[in-house]
Amino acid sequence: MLAPKIVLITGANRGIGLEFVKQFLQLKSPPKHLFACSRQPETAKDQSSIDSANAFVASKVQGDGVNLRINNAGIGVLSNIHEANREVMAKVYEINAIGPLMVVKSFLPLLKQAASVDPAAPLSCNRAAIINISTSLASISGNTSIGFHGITSGFYGYRASKAALNMITTNMSLDLKNDGILATAIHPGWVKTDMGGPNALIDTVTSVTRVMAVMGKLQGEEGTGKFYNGDNGELLGW
Ligand SMILES: NC(=O)c1ccc[n+]([C@@H]2O[C@H](COP(=O)([O-])OP(=O)(O)OC[C@H]3O[C@@H](n4cnc5c(N)ncnc54)[C@H](OP(=O)(O)O)[C@@H]3O)[C@@H](O)[C@H]2O)c1
């Protein structure tokens, strides 16, 4: 059963992130602390904003650490080969891949603290976990057609940045499993949000219900370093 004591979610002011907040608060055992993070665009451009978020959380959790960190914030860019310039590529990598790595790096002591509360417990989202919200569009083996539901963009930046996030996820899973921290990537489905648009297949309630069901089942070494399709709970090809 999914029941992490302390949860942090990025991009929590709208879309999928906001629905995570709602559904965590509706759990049978809701978190003791839930940090719903959103950026302040004018100040969220450097490491100091990550460090101050870290210091704020540490002061609130008082030694309990952070059990579950969901890196949900991201941008989708519909760049085809002609539109994929240096600026667009760098921006999407910065937000979708480099950002999640930097925040996890900063929050590692808090994740380790949570993991050490019960050193004998198997890896899980209740003990200590990083969930990176990825996309099926990042699957290299699944990339067999340039279009997506009628959108004829190659999604160069979006696909590549999320594939980088997937690689970062597997690195983290290998690096951190001996510290008791799980790291897995999950695709939330094609969801009706600002990013997914009105033609998407599912709403945020359905998406988050499914993703949280996947999270609740992640257990032990089997649950870490994976790329799940939240739509059906099955593994996606890298
Ligand atoms: N919707 C889909 O169909 C779909 C499919 C596959 C994967 N995903 C993934 O699911 C996650 C959530 O997407 P969504 O559909 O909920 O998108 P959304 O409605 O566009 O929301 C994106 C969230 O990310 C935040 N964000 C964007 N740029 C940021 C930055 N530079 N720094 C900090 N926060 C930033 C936004 O904050 P602001 O309000 O401040 O901009 C917002 O909270 C993303 O990682 C996305 O790639 C979505």
Side-chain angles (χ1 to χ4, degrees):
M1 192 178 74
L2 191 61
K5 207 164 134 194
I6 296 165
V7 176
L8 185 149
I9 302 159
T10 64
N13 55 314
R14 60 188 169 103
I16 294 169
L18 179 60
E19 184 59 28
F20 271 126
V21 173
K22 292 180 185 167
Q23 294 202 23
F24 269 103
L25 294 177
Q26 287 162 10
L27 285 176
K28 261 198 186 136
S29 307
K32 180 176 162 198
H33 292 289
L34 192 156
F35 297 94
C37 303
S38 71
R39 64 176 167 159
Q40 294 172 303
E42 49 312 332
T43 56
K45 290 196 175 81
D46 55 28
Q47 185 63 31
S48 67
S49 67
I50 297 177
D51 293 341
S52 54
N54 187 11
F56 176 79
V57 172
S59 73
K60 296 289 174 197
V61 300
Q62 295 179 342
D64 285 340
V66 168
N67 301 98
L68 176 60
R69 182 176 174 109
I70 303 176
N71 292 319
N72 163 76
I75 54 166
V77 182
L78 302 185
S79 43
N80 63 29
I81 195 164
H82 307 291
E83 297 154 346
N85 59 35
R86 280 176 193 276
E87 249 179 18
V88 167
M89 292 300 286
K91 183 173 178 199
V92 73
Y93 263 82
E94 172 62 37
I95 295 168
N96 289 352
I98 300 171
L101 173 58
M102 292 304 129
V103 291
V104 165
K105 202 173 138 185
S106 172
F107 274 76
L108 263 188
L110 289 170
L111 286 159
K112 286 183 184 177
Q113 220 166 41
S116 66
V117 169
D118 182 359
L123 297 173
S124 76
C125 287
N126 294 346
R127 185 181 174 197
I130 300 151
I131 297 297
N132 289 325
I133 301 300
S134 184
T135 170
S136 58
L137 289 172
S139 170
I140 293 172
S141 58
N143 190 9
T144 52
S145 109
I146 207 75
F148 172 74
H149 291 271
I151 303 168
T152 53
S153 161
F155 294 93
Y156 275 75
Y158 188 59
R159 284 185 191 268
S161 64
K162 291 282 188 175
L165 178 66
N166 283 354
M167 178 56 87
I168 286 167
T169 308
T170 60
N171 262 8
M172 285 175 179
S173 73
L174 296 168
D175 248 354
L176 304 178
K177 72 177 170 197
N178 290 338
D179 293 313
I181 302 169
L182 176 149
T184 271
I186 305 180
H187 162 64
W190 186 21
V191 192
K192 291 183 205 293
T193 61
D194 290 343
M195 186 188 296
N199 297 328
L201 299 178
I202 54 174
D203 59 18
T204 53
V205 175
T206 307
S207 165
V208 169
T209 304
R210 290 174 179 172
V211 171
M212 285 176 61
V214 170
M215 284 190 217
K217 287 186 187 145
L218 301 177
Q219 270 276 324
E221 298 219 0
E222 273 300 295
T224 195
K226 297 293 191 300
F227 180 23
Y228 275 98
N229 184 351
D231 262 346
N232 56 16
E234 290 174 6
L235 288 173
L236 275 162
W238 296 110

